[in-house]
């Protein structure tokens, strides 16, 4: 079977590695991929438009296309492939609105009485600023549109909140935002496979989203992840399944939305309850880098079961090990960052995989080409050992001025050992 993964980041590298383990996959392509993916798959140069990707899938006689990032999903890549009778993994355009529009997502949650933070949506700057005066800080400002993981500001000062509001609503094409109550607690990433009827949960992961140690600095796409995390008690896990997942699937049906693919549920676990922070319509990045290495079931079989609506018959098996991923970013990220920094990856321990996010080859030399550059991932028999191995490898990689957090995994009190 010829499989094409769409995207060019660490998540896509992790998906490619997982698909390559399937006996039925004969060749893996990645469009466009990166320098690390090129070591294990055939990279196909392309722009990100749906029409180019569709043409590529036909040209290469691809049997299954797997979409990594949200952009093409929100743009309707699944609808376009299905209209041409091509097999593709991911939710359609209507379903992807759960991520593509924060306003849509919050009204979905409200309509179906799914626990989430209190909120208001605004297009008008004066009304948004007036509301800010009323509710005060800390407060969360979310750009309603896609913003590569950087559209959320957790404001502790009114000035910070005002400037986030102004930035979003001053866009010439007009913006929209959600102002939502700040919830103190720990975030957990709960990803599930969904086939329109049934769902299968993945291991829980935790992302470290801010740029600096101690959860300081700007939001990034994610600076490191660990899995599995045992942040939910059994009672909370049951609550999430009943009050969040089952109500979401019932709500989708009621709204006549067919959801097939991965649904990423960002949860906030507070002292008293669990609430939905956000939905994403795809695998997480860098959650995927720690979740897929622990998946023992063939990923291709799961994806086919999702597409064919047979997920209820598919049992997911997980390794009882743990995984940690440390993101090595370019200096300056998530602001403007340096590019073309030469990188040398030496031979590393067998339990370590260097996932490439923003890399390319320049005259035969591996160089950085993005903000998040490498995701150094280790699997070990417990989380402490996985984190230690990943950091040892980070120290051995030559990547001058690399920025990485030194505290990935430290937030967690109760981990699976
Ligand atoms: N790591 C968060 C995300 O993928 O959106």
């Amino acid at each position: 079977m010829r499989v094409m993964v769409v995207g060019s980041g660490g998540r896509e590298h992790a998906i490619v590695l997982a698909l390559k383990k399937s006996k039925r996959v004969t060749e893996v392509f990645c469009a466009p991929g990166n320098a690390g993916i090129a070591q294990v798959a055939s990279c196909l140069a392309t722009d990100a438009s749906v029409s180019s990707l569709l043409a590529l899938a036909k040209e290469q006689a691809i049997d299954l296309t797997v979409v990594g990032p949200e952009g093409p999903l929100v743009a309707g890549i699944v609808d376009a492939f299905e209209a041409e009778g091509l097999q593709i993994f991911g939710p359609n355009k209507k379903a992807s609105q759960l991520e593509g529009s924060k306003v849509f997502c919050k009204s979905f949650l409200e309509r179906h009485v799914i626990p989430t933070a209190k909120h208001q949506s605004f297009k008008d700057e004066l009304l948004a600023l007036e509301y800010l005066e009323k509710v005060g800080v800390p407060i969360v400002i979310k750009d309603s549109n896609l913003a590569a993981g950087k559209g959320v500001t957790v404001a502790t000062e009114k000035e910070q909140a005002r400037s986030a509001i102004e930035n979003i609503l001053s866009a010439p094409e007009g913006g929209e935002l959600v102002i939502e109550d700040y919830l103190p607690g720990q975030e957990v990433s709960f990803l599930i496979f969904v086939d329109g009827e049934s769902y299968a949960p993945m291991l829980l992961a935790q992302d470290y989203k801010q740029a600096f140690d101690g959860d300081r600095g700007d939001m990034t796409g994610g600076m490191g992840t660990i899995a599995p995390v045992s942040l939910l008690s059994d009672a909370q896990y049951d609550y999430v399944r009943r009050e969040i997942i089952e109500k979401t699937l019932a709500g989708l049906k009621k709204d006549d939305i067919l959801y097939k693919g991965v649904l990423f549920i960002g949860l906030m676990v507070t002292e008293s309850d669990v609430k939905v922070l956000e939905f994403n319509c795809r695998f997480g990045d860098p959650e995927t880098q720690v979740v897929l290495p622990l998946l023992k079931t063939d990923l291709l079989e799961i994806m086919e079961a999702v597409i064919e609506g047979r997920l209820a018959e598919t049992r997911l098996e997980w390794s009882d090990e743990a995984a940690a991923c440390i993101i090595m970013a370019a200096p300056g990220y998530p602001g403007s960052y340096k590019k073309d920094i030469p990188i040398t990856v030496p031979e590393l321990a067998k339990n370590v995989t260097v996932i490439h996010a923003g890399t390319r080859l320049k005259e035969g030399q591996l160089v950085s080409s993005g903000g998040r550059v490498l995701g150094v991932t280790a699997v070990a028999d417990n989380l402490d050992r996985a984190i230690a191995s990943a950091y040892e490898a980070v120290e051995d990689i030559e990547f001058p001025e690399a920025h990485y957090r030194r505290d990935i995994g430290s937030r967690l009190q109760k981990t699976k050992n």
Side-chain angles (χ1 to χ4, degrees), residues 73-116:
L73 293 167
V74 172
I77 190 171
V78 170
D79 312 60
F81 273 56
E82 284 178 351
E84 301 266 350
L86 297 180
Q87 194 160 238
I88 185 160
F89 178 84
N92 61 27
K93 187 172 181 170
K94 198 171 172 191
S96 301
Q97 283 305 294
L98 280 183
E99 174 167 5
S101 163
K102 302 288 174 279
V103 170
F104 176 91
C105 173
K106 290 302 274 193
S107 71
F108 176 90
L109 290 165
E110 198 168 43
R111 189 162 62 250
H112 298 293
V113 201
I114 298 166
T116 190

mmCIF file of all heavy atoms in Angstrom, residues 73-116:
data_model
loop_
_atom_site.group_PDB
_atom_site.id
_atom_site.type_symbol
_atom_site.label_atom_id
_atom_site.label_comp_id
_atom_site.label_asym_id
_atom_site.label_seq_id
_atom_site.Cartn_x
_atom_site.Cartn_y
_atom_site.Cartn_z
ATOM 1 N N LEU A 73 -6.955 20.508 6.504
ATOM 2 C CA LEU A 73 -8.238 19.935 6.956
ATOM 3 C C LEU A 73 -9.306 21.020 6.978
ATOM 4 O O LEU A 73 -10.411 20.837 6.453
ATOM 5 C CB LEU A 73 -8.084 19.310 8.358
ATOM 6 C CG LEU A 73 -7.188 18.066 8.423
ATOM 7 C CD1 LEU A 73 -6.842 17.722 9.863
ATOM 8 C CD2 LEU A 73 -7.868 16.872 7.734
ATOM 9 N N VAL A 74 -8.940 22.170 7.553
ATOM 10 C CA VAL A 74 -9.897 23.282 7.626
ATOM 11 C C VAL A 74 -10.204 23.804 6.212
ATOM 12 O O VAL A 74 -11.314 24.247 5.919
ATOM 13 C CB VAL A 74 -9.335 24.393 8.564
ATOM 14 C CG1 VAL A 74 -10.191 25.644 8.518
ATOM 15 C CG2 VAL A 74 -9.235 23.863 10.001
ATOM 16 N N ALA A 75 -9.225 23.665 5.313
ATOM 17 C CA ALA A 75 -9.444 24.125 3.924
ATOM 18 C C ALA A 75 -10.267 23.118 3.113
ATOM 19 O O ALA A 75 -10.610 23.397 1.963
ATOM 20 C CB ALA A 75 -8.093 24.369 3.254
ATOM 21 N N GLY A 76 -10.551 21.940 3.674
ATOM 22 C CA GLY A 76 -11.429 20.998 2.983
ATOM 23 C C GLY A 76 -10.733 19.926 2.160
ATOM 24 O O GLY A 76 -11.307 19.388 1.209
ATOM 25 N N ILE A 77 -9.510 19.549 2.545
ATOM 26 C CA ILE A 77 -8.791 18.530 1.760
ATOM 27 C C ILE A 77 -9.538 17.193 1.748
ATOM 28 O O ILE A 77 -9.559 16.497 0.731
ATOM 29 C CB ILE A 77 -7.330 18.356 2.267
ATOM 30 C CG1 ILE A 77 -6.535 17.477 1.293
ATOM 31 C CG2 ILE A 77 -7.257 17.789 3.672
ATOM 32 C CD1 ILE A 77 -5.039 17.410 1.566
ATOM 33 N N VAL A 78 -10.177 16.851 2.858
ATOM 34 C CA VAL A 78 -10.860 15.552 2.938
ATOM 35 C C VAL A 78 -12.044 15.520 1.973
ATOM 36 O O VAL A 78 -12.246 14.547 1.234
ATOM 37 C CB VAL A 78 -11.278 15.255 4.401
ATOM 38 C CG1 VAL A 78 -12.192 14.038 4.486
ATOM 39 C CG2 VAL A 78 -10.015 15.056 5.254
ATOM 40 N N ASP A 79 -12.801 16.604 1.944
ATOM 41 C CA ASP A 79 -13.948 16.690 1.028
ATOM 42 C C ASP A 79 -13.474 16.561 -0.428
ATOM 43 O O ASP A 79 -14.090 15.865 -1.237
ATOM 44 C CB ASP A 79 -14.672 18.027 1.221
ATOM 45 C CG ASP A 79 -14.940 18.327 2.696
ATOM 46 O OD1 ASP A 79 -13.969 18.424 3.476
ATOM 47 O OD2 ASP A 79 -16.104 18.413 3.072
ATOM 48 N N ALA A 80 -12.347 17.238 -0.741
ATOM 49 C CA ALA A 80 -11.851 17.220 -2.127
ATOM 50 C C ALA A 80 -11.373 15.818 -2.519
ATOM 51 O O ALA A 80 -11.664 15.347 -3.630
ATOM 52 C CB ALA A 80 -10.706 18.223 -2.281
ATOM 53 N N PHE A 81 -10.669 15.124 -1.629
ATOM 54 C CA PHE A 81 -10.193 13.765 -1.941
ATOM 55 C C PHE A 81 -11.388 12.811 -2.056
ATOM 56 O O PHE A 81 -11.452 11.990 -2.965
ATOM 57 C CB PHE A 81 -9.214 13.272 -0.855
ATOM 58 C CG PHE A 81 -7.777 13.664 -1.098
ATOM 59 C CD1 PHE A 81 -7.404 14.990 -1.267
ATOM 60 C CD2 PHE A 81 -6.776 12.698 -1.155
ATOM 61 C CE1 PHE A 81 -6.080 15.353 -1.495
ATOM 62 C CE2 PHE A 81 -5.443 13.037 -1.385
ATOM 63 C CZ PHE A 81 -5.091 14.373 -1.549
ATOM 64 N N GLU A 82 -12.321 12.916 -1.107
ATOM 65 C CA GLU A 82 -13.472 11.998 -1.138
ATOM 66 C C GLU A 82 -14.306 12.203 -2.401
ATOM 67 O O GLU A 82 -14.814 11.237 -2.975
ATOM 68 C CB GLU A 82 -14.310 12.175 0.131
ATOM 69 C CG GLU A 82 -13.617 11.508 1.326
ATOM 70 C CD GLU A 82 -14.343 11.674 2.649
ATOM 71 O OE1 GLU A 82 -15.315 12.450 2.734
ATOM 72 O OE2 GLU A 82 -13.909 11.035 3.629
ATOM 73 N N ALA A 83 -14.416 13.432 -2.836
ATOM 74 C CA ALA A 83 -15.185 13.712 -4.060
ATOM 75 C C ALA A 83 -14.574 13.011 -5.272
ATOM 76 O O ALA A 83 -15.259 12.690 -6.236
ATOM 77 C CB ALA A 83 -15.254 15.211 -4.295
ATOM 78 N N GLU A 84 -13.258 12.743 -5.184
ATOM 79 C CA GLU A 84 -12.561 12.068 -6.299
ATOM 80 C C GLU A 84 -12.398 10.572 -6.018
ATOM 81 O O GLU A 84 -11.653 9.883 -6.702
ATOM 82 C CB GLU A 84 -11.180 12.689 -6.495
ATOM 83 C CG GLU A 84 -11.215 14.163 -6.802
ATOM 84 C CD GLU A 84 -11.190 14.463 -8.296
ATOM 85 O OE1 GLU A 84 -10.949 13.538 -9.085
ATOM 86 O OE2 GLU A 84 -11.436 15.627 -8.655
ATOM 87 N N GLY A 85 -13.041 10.100 -4.936
ATOM 88 C CA GLY A 85 -12.979 8.665 -4.609
ATOM 89 C C GLY A 85 -11.637 8.236 -4.020
ATOM 90 O O GLY A 85 -11.295 7.054 -4.042
ATOM 91 N N LEU A 86 -10.850 9.180 -3.489
ATOM 92 C CA LEU A 86 -9.549 8.834 -2.914
ATOM 93 C C LEU A 86 -9.674 8.649 -1.410
ATOM 94 O O LEU A 86 -10.384 9.404 -0.736
ATOM 95 C CB LEU A 86 -8.521 9.925 -3.211
ATOM 96 C CG LEU A 86 -8.193 10.169 -4.684
ATOM 97 C CD1 LEU A 86 -7.150 11.273 -4.826
ATOM 98 C CD2 LEU A 86 -7.676 8.895 -5.338
ATOM 99 N N GLN A 87 -8.939 7.663 -0.881
ATOM 100 C CA GLN A 87 -9.002 7.371 0.544
ATOM 101 C C GLN A 87 -8.116 8.359 1.325
ATOM 102 O O GLN A 87 -6.942 8.553 0.983
ATOM 103 C CB GLN A 87 -8.523 5.933 0.772
ATOM 104 C CG GLN A 87 -8.854 5.436 2.129
ATOM 105 C CD GLN A 87 -8.839 3.919 2.218
ATOM 106 O OE1 GLN A 87 -9.834 3.314 2.565
ATOM 107 N NE2 GLN A 87 -7.707 3.335 1.917
ATOM 108 N N ILE A 88 -8.696 8.948 2.361
ATOM 109 C CA ILE A 88 -7.947 9.956 3.137
ATOM 110 C C ILE A 88 -8.353 9.874 4.605
ATOM 111 O O ILE A 88 -9.508 9.610 4.920
ATOM 112 C CB ILE A 88 -8.186 11.378 2.544
ATOM 113 C CG1 ILE A 88 -7.318 12.416 3.267
ATOM 114 C CG2 ILE A 88 -9.651 11.785 2.547
ATOM 115 C CD1 ILE A 88 -7.122 13.714 2.477
ATOM 116 N N PHE A 89 -7.367 10.090 5.489
ATOM 117 C CA PHE A 89 -7.614 10.022 6.926
ATOM 118 C C PHE A 89 -7.635 11.430 7.506
ATOM 119 O O PHE A 89 -6.633 12.158 7.439
ATOM 120 C CB PHE A 89 -6.512 9.204 7.620
ATOM 121 C CG PHE A 89 -6.675 9.127 9.122
ATOM 122 C CD1 PHE A 89 -7.506 8.178 9.700
ATOM 123 C CD2 PHE A 89 -6.019 10.023 9.951
ATOM 124 C CE1 PHE A 89 -7.677 8.126 11.071
ATOM 125 C CE2 PHE A 89 -6.179 9.974 11.322
ATOM 126 C CZ PHE A 89 -7.006 9.023 11.888
ATOM 127 N N GLY A 90 -8.776 11.799 8.098
ATOM 128 C CA GLY A 90 -8.897 13.112 8.746
ATOM 129 C C GLY A 90 -10.349 13.554 8.663
ATOM 130 O O GLY A 90 -11.116 13.030 7.849
ATOM 131 N N PRO A 91 -10.748 14.516 9.491
ATOM 132 C CA PRO A 91 -12.128 15.008 9.431
ATOM 133 C C PRO A 91 -12.371 15.939 8.239
ATOM 134 O O PRO A 91 -11.443 16.590 7.752
ATOM 135 C CB PRO A 91 -12.291 15.764 10.759
ATOM 136 C CG PRO A 91 -10.920 16.097 11.206
ATOM 137 C CD PRO A 91 -9.975 15.092 10.598
ATOM 138 N N ASN A 92 -13.625 15.995 7.803
ATOM 139 C CA ASN A 92 -13.960 16.870 6.674
ATOM 140 C C ASN A 92 -14.016 18.340 7.125
ATOM 141 O O ASN A 92 -13.810 18.644 8.310
ATOM 142 C CB ASN A 92 -15.274 16.415 6.018
ATOM 143 C CG ASN A 92 -16.437 16.474 7.003
ATOM 144 O OD1 ASN A 92 -16.444 17.260 7.945
ATOM 145 N ND2 ASN A 92 -17.421 15.625 6.796
ATOM 146 N N LYS A 93 -14.303 19.201 6.164
ATOM 147 C CA LYS A 93 -14.250 20.648 6.414
ATOM 148 C C LYS A 93 -15.211 21.077 7.530
ATOM 149 O O LYS A 93 -14.841 21.850 8.423
ATOM 150 C CB LYS A 93 -14.598 21.374 5.103
ATOM 151 C CG LYS A 93 -14.427 22.850 5.163
ATOM 152 C CD LYS A 93 -14.596 23.465 3.784
ATOM 153 C CE LYS A 93 -14.383 24.964 3.881
ATOM 154 N NZ LYS A 93 -14.295 25.590 2.584
ATOM 155 N N LYS A 94 -16.420 20.537 7.475
ATOM 156 C CA LYS A 94 -17.435 20.934 8.467
ATOM 157 C C LYS A 94 -16.971 20.523 9.865
ATOM 158 O O LYS A 94 -17.027 21.307 10.817
ATOM 159 C CB LYS A 94 -18.751 20.231 8.104
ATOM 160 C CG LYS A 94 -19.978 20.823 8.722
ATOM 161 C CD LYS A 94 -21.210 20.155 8.095
ATOM 162 C CE LYS A 94 -22.488 20.549 8.787
ATOM 163 N NZ LYS A 94 -23.618 19.722 8.351
ATOM 164 N N ALA A 95 -16.476 19.285 9.984
ATOM 165 C CA ALA A 95 -16.041 18.771 11.291
ATOM 166 C C ALA A 95 -14.803 19.517 11.795
ATOM 167 O O ALA A 95 -14.643 19.731 13.005
ATOM 168 C CB ALA A 95 -15.757 17.274 11.168
ATOM 169 N N SER A 96 -13.936 19.935 10.872
ATOM 170 C CA SER A 96 -12.687 20.606 11.261
ATOM 171 C C SER A 96 -12.924 22.001 11.831
ATOM 172 O O SER A 96 -12.004 22.608 12.396
ATOM 173 C CB SER A 96 -11.742 20.704 10.058
ATOM 174 O OG SER A 96 -11.465 19.414 9.573
ATOM 175 N N GLN A 97 -14.158 22.496 11.692
ATOM 176 C CA GLN A 97 -14.486 23.790 12.297
ATOM 177 C C GLN A 97 -14.291 23.779 13.813
ATOM 178 O O GLN A 97 -14.145 24.817 14.439
ATOM 179 C CB GLN A 97 -15.945 24.169 11.981
ATOM 180 C CG GLN A 97 -16.150 24.676 10.585
ATOM 181 C CD GLN A 97 -15.238 25.844 10.291
ATOM 182 O OE1 GLN A 97 -15.352 26.904 10.875
ATOM 183 N NE2 GLN A 97 -14.276 25.631 9.412
ATOM 184 N N LEU A 98 -14.331 22.590 14.401
ATOM 185 C CA LEU A 98 -14.115 22.510 15.854
ATOM 186 C C LEU A 98 -12.772 23.114 16.233
ATOM 187 O O LEU A 98 -12.594 23.623 17.327
ATOM 188 C CB LEU A 98 -14.178 21.051 16.333
ATOM 189 C CG LEU A 98 -15.559 20.439 16.532
ATOM 190 C CD1 LEU A 98 -15.430 19.031 17.083
ATOM 191 C CD2 LEU A 98 -16.429 21.285 17.475
ATOM 192 N N GLU A 99 -11.801 23.025 15.317
ATOM 193 C CA GLU A 99 -10.517 23.691 15.548
ATOM 194 C C GLU A 99 -10.423 25.003 14.761
ATOM 195 O O GLU A 99 -9.844 25.973 15.253
ATOM 196 C CB GLU A 99 -9.337 22.779 15.160
ATOM 197 C CG GLU A 99 -8.007 23.523 15.273
ATOM 198 C CD GLU A 99 -6.763 22.662 15.217
ATOM 199 O OE1 GLU A 99 -6.876 21.441 14.989
ATOM 200 O OE2 GLU A 99 -5.669 23.221 15.409
ATOM 201 N N GLY A 100 -10.976 25.010 13.579
ATOM 202 C CA GLY A 100 -10.799 26.149 12.670
ATOM 203 C C GLY A 100 -11.437 27.434 13.167
ATOM 204 O O GLY A 100 -11.015 28.518 12.801
ATOM 205 N N SER A 101 -12.457 27.296 14.012
ATOM 206 C CA SER A 101 -13.102 28.492 14.565
ATOM 207 C C SER A 101 -13.335 28.280 16.065
ATOM 208 O O SER A 101 -14.140 27.436 16.460
ATOM 209 C CB SER A 101 -14.439 28.750 13.856
ATOM 210 O OG SER A 101 -15.220 29.631 14.634
ATOM 211 N N LYS A 102 -12.645 29.083 16.872
ATOM 212 C CA LYS A 102 -12.819 28.965 18.335
ATOM 213 C C LYS A 102 -14.232 29.390 18.728
ATOM 214 O O LYS A 102 -14.782 28.889 19.704
ATOM 215 C CB LYS A 102 -11.797 29.828 19.084
ATOM 216 C CG LYS A 102 -10.337 29.508 18.767
ATOM 217 C CD LYS A 102 -9.885 28.184 19.358
ATOM 218 C CE LYS A 102 -8.492 27.808 18.912
ATOM 219 N NZ LYS A 102 -8.403 27.192 17.568
ATOM 220 N N VAL A 103 -14.804 30.303 17.953
ATOM 221 C CA VAL A 103 -16.171 30.743 18.238
ATOM 222 C C VAL A 103 -17.140 29.587 17.991
ATOM 223 O O VAL A 103 -18.019 29.295 18.808
ATOM 224 C CB VAL A 103 -16.533 31.985 17.375
ATOM 225 C CG1 VAL A 103 -18.010 32.314 17.476
ATOM 226 C CG2 VAL A 103 -15.670 33.175 17.794
ATOM 227 N N PHE A 104 -16.940 28.872 16.872
ATOM 228 C CA PHE A 104 -17.772 27.702 16.561
ATOM 229 C C PHE A 104 -17.626 26.668 17.683
ATOM 230 O O PHE A 104 -18.609 26.098 18.166
ATOM 231 C CB PHE A 104 -17.314 27.100 15.221
ATOM 232 C CG PHE A 104 -18.033 25.836 14.836
ATOM 233 C CD1 PHE A 104 -19.184 25.893 14.054
ATOM 234 C CD2 PHE A 104 -17.571 24.587 15.252
ATOM 235 C CE1 PHE A 104 -19.857 24.715 13.702
ATOM 236 C CE2 PHE A 104 -18.238 23.426 14.909
ATOM 237 C CZ PHE A 104 -19.384 23.491 14.128
ATOM 238 N N CYS A 105 -16.381 26.432 18.096
ATOM 239 C CA CYS A 105 -16.106 25.420 19.113
ATOM 240 C C CYS A 105 -16.811 25.759 20.428
ATOM 241 O O CYS A 105 -17.466 24.910 21.031
ATOM 242 C CB CYS A 105 -14.583 25.334 19.320
ATOM 243 S SG CYS A 105 -14.129 24.272 20.680
ATOM 244 N N LYS A 106 -16.701 27.028 20.847
ATOM 245 C CA LYS A 106 -17.314 27.400 22.123
ATOM 246 C C LYS A 106 -18.838 27.327 22.028
ATOM 247 O O LYS A 106 -19.488 26.919 22.991
ATOM 248 C CB LYS A 106 -16.890 28.824 22.528
ATOM 249 C CG LYS A 106 -15.441 28.966 22.931
ATOM 250 C CD LYS A 106 -14.997 28.095 24.077
ATOM 251 C CE LYS A 106 -15.245 28.662 25.426
ATOM 252 N NZ LYS A 106 -14.540 27.939 26.507
ATOM 253 N N SER A 107 -19.407 27.683 20.886
ATOM 254 C CA SER A 107 -20.870 27.610 20.825
ATOM 255 C C SER A 107 -21.315 26.148 20.751
ATOM 256 O O SER A 107 -22.355 25.787 21.293
ATOM 257 C CB SER A 107 -21.458 28.484 19.719
ATOM 258 O OG SER A 107 -21.156 27.929 18.487
ATOM 259 N N PHE A 108 -20.489 25.278 20.138
ATOM 260 C CA PHE A 108 -20.787 23.833 20.139
ATOM 261 C C PHE A 108 -20.801 23.320 21.587
ATOM 262 O O PHE A 108 -21.733 22.614 22.006
ATOM 263 C CB PHE A 108 -19.728 23.086 19.307
ATOM 264 C CG PHE A 108 -19.871 21.589 19.320
ATOM 265 C CD1 PHE A 108 -20.651 20.950 18.362
ATOM 266 C CD2 PHE A 108 -19.255 20.813 20.290
ATOM 267 C CE1 PHE A 108 -20.805 19.559 18.373
ATOM 268 C CE2 PHE A 108 -19.403 19.431 20.313
ATOM 269 C CZ PHE A 108 -20.178 18.807 19.344
ATOM 270 N N LEU A 109 -19.770 23.685 22.342
ATOM 271 C CA LEU A 109 -19.665 23.210 23.733
ATOM 272 C C LEU A 109 -20.853 23.692 24.562
ATOM 273 O O LEU A 109 -21.437 22.941 25.349
ATOM 274 C CB LEU A 109 -18.345 23.699 24.353
ATOM 275 C CG LEU A 109 -17.069 23.043 23.805
ATOM 276 C CD1 LEU A 109 -15.830 23.847 24.195
ATOM 277 C CD2 LEU A 109 -16.924 21.603 24.286
ATOM 278 N N GLU A 110 -21.220 24.942 24.349
ATOM 279 C CA GLU A 110 -22.327 25.535 25.105
ATOM 280 C C GLU A 110 -23.657 24.862 24.742
ATOM 281 O O GLU A 110 -24.420 24.458 25.607
ATOM 282 C CB GLU A 110 -22.380 27.020 24.744
ATOM 283 C CG GLU A 110 -23.140 27.857 25.712
ATOM 284 C CD GLU A 110 -22.881 29.331 25.435
ATOM 285 O OE1 GLU A 110 -22.883 29.743 24.247
ATOM 286 O OE2 GLU A 110 -22.655 30.065 26.394
ATOM 287 N N ARG A 111 -23.853 24.689 23.409
ATOM 288 C CA ARG A 111 -25.109 24.102 22.917
ATOM 289 C C ARG A 111 -25.320 22.700 23.458
ATOM 290 O O ARG A 111 -26.422 22.298 23.764
ATOM 291 C CB ARG A 111 -25.037 24.087 21.379
ATOM 292 C CG ARG A 111 -26.270 23.720 20.666
ATOM 293 C CD ARG A 111 -26.249 24.150 19.199
ATOM 294 N NE ARG A 111 -25.199 23.553 18.382
ATOM 295 C CZ ARG A 111 -24.156 24.228 17.909
ATOM 296 N NH1 ARG A 111 -24.020 25.511 18.163
ATOM 297 N NH2 ARG A 111 -23.240 23.624 17.173
ATOM 298 N N HIS A 112 -24.220 21.948 23.601
ATOM 299 C CA HIS A 112 -24.368 20.552 24.021
ATOM 300 C C HIS A 112 -24.018 20.345 25.496
ATOM 301 O O HIS A 112 -23.833 19.201 25.935
ATOM 302 C CB HIS A 112 -23.533 19.653 23.099
ATOM 303 C CG HIS A 112 -23.993 19.738 21.675
ATOM 304 N ND1 HIS A 112 -25.233 19.271 21.282
ATOM 305 C CD2 HIS A 112 -23.444 20.304 20.581
ATOM 306 C CE1 HIS A 112 -25.400 19.527 19.993
ATOM 307 N NE2 HIS A 112 -24.330 20.164 19.538
ATOM 308 N N VAL A 113 -23.965 21.448 26.224
ATOM 309 C CA VAL A 113 -23.761 21.426 27.681
ATOM 310 C C VAL A 113 -22.549 20.567 28.063
ATOM 311 O O VAL A 113 -22.617 19.670 28.917
ATOM 312 C CB VAL A 113 -25.049 20.968 28.419
ATOM 313 C CG1 VAL A 113 -25.016 21.436 29.866
ATOM 314 C CG2 VAL A 113 -26.299 21.455 27.730
ATOM 315 N N ILE A 114 -21.429 20.873 27.410
ATOM 316 C CA ILE A 114 -20.168 20.171 27.688
ATOM 317 C C ILE A 114 -19.319 21.121 28.538
ATOM 318 O O ILE A 114 -19.191 22.305 28.195
ATOM 319 C CB ILE A 114 -19.476 19.790 26.355
ATOM 320 C CG1 ILE A 114 -20.380 18.823 25.573
ATOM 321 C CG2 ILE A 114 -18.094 19.167 26.607
ATOM 322 C CD1 ILE A 114 -20.006 18.631 24.126
ATOM 323 N N PRO A 115 -18.746 20.621 29.652
ATOM 324 C CA PRO A 115 -18.053 21.527 30.573
ATOM 325 C C PRO A 115 -16.888 22.275 29.926
ATOM 326 O O PRO A 115 -15.985 21.661 29.351
ATOM 327 C CB PRO A 115 -17.534 20.605 31.680
ATOM 328 C CG PRO A 115 -18.006 19.229 31.370
ATOM 329 C CD PRO A 115 -18.761 19.233 30.092
ATOM 330 N N THR A 116 -16.945 23.603 30.028
ATOM 331 C CA THR A 116 -15.871 24.451 29.482
ATOM 332 C C THR A 116 -15.875 25.773 30.250
ATOM 333 O O THR A 116 -16.816 26.057 31.003
ATOM 334 C CB THR A 116 -16.078 24.680 27.966
ATOM 335 O OG1 THR A 116 -14.911 25.302 27.437
ATOM 336 C CG2 THR A 116 -17.295 25.552 27.660
#
